Amino acid sequence: MLAVVHSYWVHGVEGQPVTVEVKVQTGLPIFTVVGLPAGAVREGKERVFAALAQSGMALPPRRITVNLAPADMPKSGSGFDLPIAVALLTAFGHVPADPLGNCAFVGELGLDASVRPIRGVIALSMSCRAQRMKRLFVPLDNAREAAAVPGVEVVGVESLHQVVGLLRGDLEPPYIPPRPAGRAPRSQPDLGDVRGQPLAKRALVIAAAGGHSLLMSGPPGAGKTMLARRLPGLLPPLAEAESLEVTRVHSVAGLLDDDDPVKTDRPFRAPHHTISAGGLIGGGNPPRPGEISLAHLGVLFLDELPEFNRSVLETLRQPVESGHVRIARVRHTVTFPARFQLIAAMNPCPCGQVGEDCVCADRDIARYRSRLSGPLLDRIDLQVHVGPVTWHELTGAAGESGGDSAAASVRVAGARRLQSRGYSRDGALNALVPARRVMRVCCLSDSGSRLLEDGIARYGLSARSVHRTLRVARTISDLARKEHPGTREVAEALRLRVGLARRSGMPAGRPRTAPAARAAGVAPLFPGASTD
Ligand SMILES: [Zn+2]
């Protein structure tokens, strides 16, 4: 007797198809699972047999072999219990084999024969749709999540007994309430709540428009965290496909809300500085997504940046550029999406009070700043100082600058439309323009080129810094609806790039060149800038 049942399992954040084959032979009663099953899959045998007995369908002693094909991929998770049980029931003739051809099953079994929820169901449902599988049987608690993928007929089940009834045609599939369409995203904190800080607000809008990373340095209480929390509200709402992508990562991590399983808001993740490398980029066995993947299509906020372990921060270098992270294990490699926007904040020195009030020794300040490596800072497009707020700004007497989130997000959306129409595939932001195309996409006016050349000489910018400055200048001209970045745009991009380094001697660019330029009596590059 041979039975075949379709199923899926989660590899990384992808649903992978699996065929569960069960062969029953006479002989010594032995139960074997082959096809590289991991611990939870092997243990499934006990749950399956207990659930079958509980449902009144105890199996006669036989030699049973279960094969999970393709056999060369190591498989993990508890979702194989239900398909193995259904295959056994089919092999022993308890349920007909005919309806199984276009059905797939996933779910964990309890000893009481209940069907329990599993992680990553939406990934399985997406894979089911891609394979044009007609019906997907899932645990009832996962049914709304699975049904968020259009085009898949989802059957939510509570018990093995119910599955048998459905397959025999004795029961009707339970009703799954549809997801309310077009639900408005939750309201986000408003940029108008932040007093003063025109430079930081401007940097935030540019970051939102071009997908640029941003580092804010300033004393405690200046409003750095408040500003960072306003970034998701400036970004355009998630499109339907993006919403499913975000939901998929959170589902695999087991972080979905039972009542409202589909994510419609852009994620905002703010891990504590004691986080491990595995927690940040993902890890474990089987690998689970880390904070950078949970921030996919949203914002990753790292407060107190120099307090993070340096080796942990270094792991960010590759995903910041590529938009994904690869985690290698002995037999396989998992890729997690990680297209997040990095926002970081730091104090200018260990005590936080830069200037006359600072009580830190020079040596302590140097050690504090050296925790941030040059290569990581090189990858942060915008670096601004966030100073203390004045009394005039706090009371509103200075007049509000920067406007509210609604007005800013309209400008951001306009700039993003220009980017997607202008030069490349949909959704590609200026921050992600590949290096080989930067010169063509961010084509400067003649005067803009001359200014940049001057800036490179004065600040000793690396090739990567120059490319990042060009991308920022492109975003600034997109916000202004200008075709080519000119002097104004290049000057602002340079100021937002090297302003912090000039102010504090941070290792962005090559700090030695800025004092060297000053010592040589070079006129300030940005007469209007408030720095220095
Ligand atoms: Zn200090």
Side-chain angles (χ1 to χ4, degrees), residues 348-354 357-360 365:
C349 64
C351 83
Q353 306 298 330
V354 79
D357 298 333
C358 177
V359 295
C360 309
I365 296 178

